[in-house]
């Protein structure tokens, strides 16, 4: 008999004489009541076992984490808080389960403990909810761009280009590390490597994406990226997913419009399609907030935060205006900021970004026209010669969630910037070709997918919104 998903059983509008459900035991009470979950919903369905006619040996094997198949009638539940239950006629244990060793017992576990058991943590309510929300958000990303006529482009994971110019990249090599080939001057001879040159894992698909935008008009990438940044903060991963649209003929204003519209679309889609999971995560966040000192508690519930984004226009503020606000702010004057703002040109930190969003403007903020010397080489230089057409979107609780810019379309200006930064023109000859042949104003942005999931789920550590986090000294699973 074909089994029916728990979600569909719970949404049934009528009793059913015979159904089959398969899933994992969350709890087993009084040798009679199984809370069964199959991952299709955060909600369990109660299965009432006929314990008098079920072998004792079988009852002993119904333990937390066990996979079971139950067949019986879908009936109106006698218990509170649930509409339906299954009156079990036959029960089958599908696999072995060691109750004493199974880590995910029905009790509260620390997030650190769950990270150490990332292969099993998705069986908990919280991580089941997080991963379903993540899945819906990923679908919404593609849905938005496909509805807008964007072309999905798969940019390479292995590249010889450093898009950010930061040099924090993971090297890819097939050379024997214990016997590296050398040139006459003693340097490593990469011509003998697999690709015949020095290569790395990508930090961004942007540069390759730009080449496609110059032919297809509007494209987007959505794939894994890698940063060899030795950071153990709650906001950084070594491997994460990036959403990167690039649009020909869009200037910075168009870019800001696109980013705001896109974020509101995917957040709204999650709110409309993840009701049960978000309700659970809202309750989880509320409990977490109670553990904080009164002055550190959020004034908004999770759903309030999501509506905060949906119902407010994003405030657009120049970097120069933001610096003036921060310099004159009470936290800066009273030296409450860890990084004090004393002069124009400072690289804003998360504490500054959150102050602007949460305390000053009290709405999402888009900062634009940043100092050129703290931004990437490909951003269009303004007429003042000291700022670039960059923009960052700042969110409550997160800080920066989007970074983008109008790209430098002028060949001579781009070459001059590359030379000033010591970027090899020969390595990026193909990128410069897009400025030689049919160059046009164009813009794009990057959104770290995990930061979006972090915001929508209300989690506070980015390691908890990706299936298997990759961080310094950690590549388990």
């Amino acid at each position: 008999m074909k089994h029916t998903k728990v979600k569909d059983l719970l949404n049934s509008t009528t009793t059913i004489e015979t159904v089959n459900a398969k899933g994992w035991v969350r709890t087993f009470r009084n040798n009679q009541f199984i809370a069964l979950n199959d991952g299709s919903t955060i909600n369990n369905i109660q299965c009432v076992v006929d314990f008098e006619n079920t072998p004792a040996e079988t009852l002993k094997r119904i333990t937390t984490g066990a996979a079971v198949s139950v067949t019986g009638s879908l009936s109106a539940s006698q218990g509170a808080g649930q509409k339906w239950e299954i009156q079990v006629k036959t029960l089958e244990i599908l696999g072995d389960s060691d109750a004493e060793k199974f880590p995910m017992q029905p009790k509260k576990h620390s997030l650190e403990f769950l990270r150490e058991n990332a292969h099993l943590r998705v069986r908990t309510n919280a991580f089941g909810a997080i991963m379903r929300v993540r899945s819906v958000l990923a679908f919404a990303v593609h849905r938005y761009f496909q509805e807008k006529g964007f072309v999905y482009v798969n940019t390479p994971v292995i590249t010889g280009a450093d898009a950010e110019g930061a040099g924090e990249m993971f090297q890819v090599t097939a050379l024997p590390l214990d016997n590296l080939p050398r040139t006459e001057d003693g340097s490593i001879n990469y011509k003998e490597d697999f690709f015949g040159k020095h290569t790395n894992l990508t930090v961004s698909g942007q540069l390759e994406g730009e080449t496609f935008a110059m032919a297809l008009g509007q494209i987007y990438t959505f794939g894994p990226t890698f940063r060899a940044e030795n950071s153990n903060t709650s906001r950084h991963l070594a491997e994460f997913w990036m959403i990167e649209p690039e649009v020909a003929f869009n200037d910075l204003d168009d870019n800001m419009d696109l980013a705001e519209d896109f974020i509101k679309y995917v957040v709204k889609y999650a709110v409309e399609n993840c009701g049960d999971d978000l309700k659970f995560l809202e309750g989880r966040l509320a409990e977490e907030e109670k553990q904080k000192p009164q002055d550190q508690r959020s004034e908004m519930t999770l759903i309030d935060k999501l509506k905060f984004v949906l119902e407010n226009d994003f405030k657009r503020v120049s970097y120069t205006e933001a610096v003036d606000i921060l310099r004159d702010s009470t936290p800066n004057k009273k030296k409450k900021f860890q990084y004090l703002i004393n002069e124009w040109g400072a690289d804003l930190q998360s504490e500054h970004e959150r102050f602007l969003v949460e305390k000053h403007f009290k709405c999402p903020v888009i900062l634009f026209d940043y100092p050129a010397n703290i931004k990437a080489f490909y951003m269009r230089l303004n007429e003042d010669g000291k700022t670039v057409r960059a923009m960052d979107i700042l969110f409550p609780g997160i800080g920066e969630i989007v970074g983008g810019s109008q790209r430098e379309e002028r060949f001579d200006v781009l070459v001059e910037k590359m030379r000033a930064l010591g970027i090899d023109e020969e390595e990026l000859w193909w990128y410069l070709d897009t400025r030689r042949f049919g160059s046009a104003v164009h813009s794009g942005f990057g959104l770290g997918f995990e930061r979006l999931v972090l915001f929508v789920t209300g989690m506070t550590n980015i390691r908890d919104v990706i299936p298997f986090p990759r961080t310094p000294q950690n590549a388990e699973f």
Side-chain angles (χ1 to χ4, degrees), residues 266-301:
V266 296
V267 170
K268 182 181 179 184
Y269 192 86
V271 170
E272 292 175 346
N273 291 276
C274 299
D276 287 346
D277 288 321
L278 290 177
K279 183 179 179 180
F280 171 84
L281 291 168
E282 181 175 60
R284 185 202 162 279
L285 179 61
E287 288 300 314
E288 192 174 80
E289 288 292 317
K290 290 178 182 177
Q291 309 305 315
K292 297 180 180 178
Q294 188 72 39
D295 62 345
Q296 295 181 21
R297 294 177 188 175
S298 173
E299 298 175 0
M300 294 185 285
T301 67

Side-chain angles (χ1 to χ4, degrees), residues 144-145 150 218 245-262 316 366 389 391 393 404-406 441-445:
Y144 175 85
F145 287 120
F150 280 66
Q218 49 184 21
E246 289 290 330
V247 186
F249 316 119
N250 268 16
D251 62 15
L252 185 67
D253 289 329
D254 298 322
N255 202 35
M256 291 190 283
D257 290 342
L258 175 66
E260 180 173 348
D261 189 58
F262 165 70
R316 301 184 183 187
I366 307 181
R389 299 253 74 193
M391 67 98 172
I393 298 183
S405 73
Q406 182 176 323
V441 168
H442 61 289
S443 300
F445 62 83

Side-chain angles (χ1 to χ4, degrees), residues 106-126:
K107 64 178 182 179
K108 186 176 179 60
H109 297 286
S110 72
L111 291 174
E112 188 58 42
F113 171 81
L114 293 173
R115 287 177 209 131
E116 293 170 358
N117 291 275
H119 61 308
L120 296 173
R121 66 178 179 172
V122 73
R123 298 197 194 184
T124 65
N125 283 335

Side-chain angles (χ1 to χ4, degrees), residues 41-310:
T41 172
I42 196 168
N43 300 309
N44 307 320
I45 190 165
Q46 179 166 278
C47 304
V48 183
V49 179
D50 182 0
F51 66 93
E52 292 182 350
N53 296 308
T54 303
E57 189 59 34
T58 300
L59 292 174
K60 287 181 181 179
R61 294 178 62 204
I62 305 174
T63 59
T64 298
V68 300
S69 172
V70 297
T71 302
S73 60
L74 185 70
S75 308
S77 177
Q78 303 304 307
Q82 53 196 7
K83 183 178 180 182
W84 302 110
E85 64 186 20
I86 298 175
Q87 293 291 331
V88 180
K89 295 175 182 175
T90 60
L91 181 146
E92 180 185 0
I93 309 293
L94 298 178
D96 293 332
S97 183
D98 192 329
E100 294 182 0
K101 295 182 179 179
F102 184 60
M104 302 296 111
Q105 293 298 317
K107 64 178 182 179
K108 186 176 179 60
H109 297 286
S110 72
L111 291 174
E112 188 58 42
F113 171 81
L114 293 173
R115 287 177 209 131
E116 293 170 358
N117 291 275
H119 61 308
L120 296 173
R121 66 178 179 172
V122 73
R123 298 197 194 184
T124 65
N125 283 335
F127 282 90
I130 292 164
M131 294 307 157
R132 279 188 295 270
V133 172
R134 180 185 172 103
S135 174
V136 168
L137 283 169
F139 176 77
V141 168
H142 287 291
R143 193 171 190 257
Y144 175 85
F145 287 120
Q146 293 295 322
E147 287 180 356
K148 297 287 185 180
F150 280 66
V151 177
Y152 178 39
V153 175
N154 302 116
T155 53
V157 169
I158 298 174
T159 178
D162 179 2
E164 299 300 319
E168 296 173 328
M169 305 178 77
F170 289 103
Q171 184 174 338
V172 176
T173 182
L175 294 175
L177 298 182
D178 56 351
N179 187 25
L180 292 169
R182 303 282 180 177
T183 61
E184 290 184 0
D185 64 3
S187 59
I188 297 172
N189 186 0
Y190 285 107
K191 289 183 178 179
E192 292 190 24
D193 206 348
F194 186 88
F195 294 106
K197 62 183 296 185
H198 186 278
T199 55
N200 305 285
L201 295 179
T202 185
V203 298
S204 168
Q206 177 203 315
L207 303 189
E208 293 87 352
E210 283 187 56
T211 69
F212 272 66
M214 289 296 98
L216 301 175
Q218 49 184 21
I219 66 94
Y220 72 104
T221 74
F222 185 8
T225 52
F226 308 85
R227 304 272 171 104
E229 183 179 358
N230 190 18
S231 175
N232 275 296
T233 76
S234 61
R235 299 169 65 244
H236 291 91
L237 291 166
E239 177 185 351
F240 55 99
W241 285 65
M242 284 280 283
I243 302 154
E244 298 177 289
E246 289 290 330
V247 186
F249 316 119
N250 268 16
D251 62 15
L252 185 67
D253 289 329
D254 298 322
N255 202 35
M256 291 190 283
D257 290 342
L258 175 66
E260 180 173 348
D261 189 58
F262 165 70
I263 290 175
K264 287 184 174 180
Y265 180 98
V266 296
V267 170
K268 182 181 179 184
Y269 192 86
V271 170
E272 292 175 346
N273 291 276
C274 299
D276 287 346
D277 288 321
L278 290 177
K279 183 179 179 180
F280 171 84
L281 291 168
E282 181 175 60
R284 185 202 162 279
L285 179 61
E287 288 300 314
E288 192 174 80
E289 288 292 317
K290 290 178 182 177
Q291 309 305 315
K292 297 180 180 178
Q294 188 72 39
D295 62 345
Q296 295 181 21
R297 294 177 188 175
S298 173
E299 298 175 0
M300 294 185 285
T301 67
L302 177 58
I303 302 301
D304 287 341
K305 285 182 181 179
L306 301 182
K307 289 181 177 178
F308 177 83
V309 168
L310 296 176

